[in-house]
Amino acid sequence: MRWHDEYDIPGSSLARRLEVVRGFLRPLLDRPRRVISMCAGDGRDVLPLLPSGSRAVLVEWDPALADRARQSAPSGVTVVTGDAGITDPYASVAPAEVLLACGVFGNIPYADTCRTIEALPTLLTPGGTVVWTRAGSGAAEVRDAFARSGFEELAFSEPADARFRVGLHRLRRPAKPFAAGVRLFTFV
Ligand SMILES: C[S@@+](CC[C@H](N)C(=O)[O-])C[C@H]1O[C@@H](n2cnc3c(N)ncnc32)[C@H](O)[C@@H]1O
């Protein structure tokens, strides 16, 4: 079974996480937005919710998943088959109002998580929001990293009967200019 097959199992942890992520995204996507999704998978979290007129860049390494995202992407969405861990693919959409980092922080070293979160002000508008996920106790470190980097927590979901955690953070510090060629993270 491939990791994303779990999405199709009703009541599975991944299916439940998807509903929480969409619940956080829905009010943010109340009008056309600029959106980034890092390690986007097939984009099922954000693509069905995107208001028309939005611009989005989804970056996914797996060509099969990227193709699936491309097939369901409305106009205005660019799906890049490539490395989400460097800033270059985001050049056309930064600064974004909404950024997804779902299924990322559990797959990279904590130093990379910190570096990525510190760099998010170069990818976001002032007040831009980030929806992120992390399984289990590792979420505490992610929340710390957001707090240190000038983000306020708007929501945090920690179901008692599941390991997934979903956070929603808003940038409270001034945004920074986009910088190409910056390494954010490397998947392990
Ligand atoms: C745990 S999945 C999460 C996918 C999606 N965000 C979701 O929540 O359904 C992690 C994804 O990251 C992709 N990936 C791994 N390394 C990557 C990289 N360097 N750049 C872009 N995507 C990457 C994998 O192919 C996989 O689809």
Side-chain angles (χ1 to χ4, degrees), residues 1-108:
M1 183 167 125
R2 298 155 303 175
W3 69 266
H4 46 91
D5 291 334
E6 195 192 325
Y7 272 127
D8 300 322
I9 303 172
S12 68
S13 186
L14 210 49
R16 289 176 59 195
R17 194 190 82 176
L18 176 63
E19 287 316 308
V20 176
V21 168
R22 285 180 176 162
F24 282 6
L25 281 173
R26 228 171 250 116
L28 304 175
L29 300 175
D30 56 344
R31 58 191 166 92
R33 298 287 192 187
R34 290 198 306 279
V35 177
I36 286 171
S37 181
M38 299 175 156
C39 303
D42 64 6
R44 69 177 67 201
D45 39 18
V46 68
L47 290 176
L49 305 181
L50 266 189
S52 80
S54 297
R55 285 178 46 215
V57 170
L58 280 59
V59 186
E60 168 55 44
W61 186 260
D62 180 333
L65 289 176
D67 277 348
R68 264 165 45 182
R70 220 168 268 120
Q71 278 160 23
S72 56
S75 71
V77 176
T78 303
V79 180
V80 177
T81 307
D83 187 2
I86 193 156
T87 52
D88 298 45
Y90 310 117
S92 65
V93 73
E97 295 154 298
V98 178
L99 185 146
L100 286 84
C102 298
V104 178
F105 297 141
N107 292 303
I108 63 178

Side-chain angles (χ1 to χ4, degrees), residues 38 84-87 90 112-113 115-116 119 123 182-186:
M38 299 175 156
I86 193 156
T87 52
Y90 310 117
D112 287 19
T113 295
R115 188 166 53 241
T116 301
L123 299 178
V182 175
R183 170 57 58 187
L184 303 170
F185 60 81
T186 304

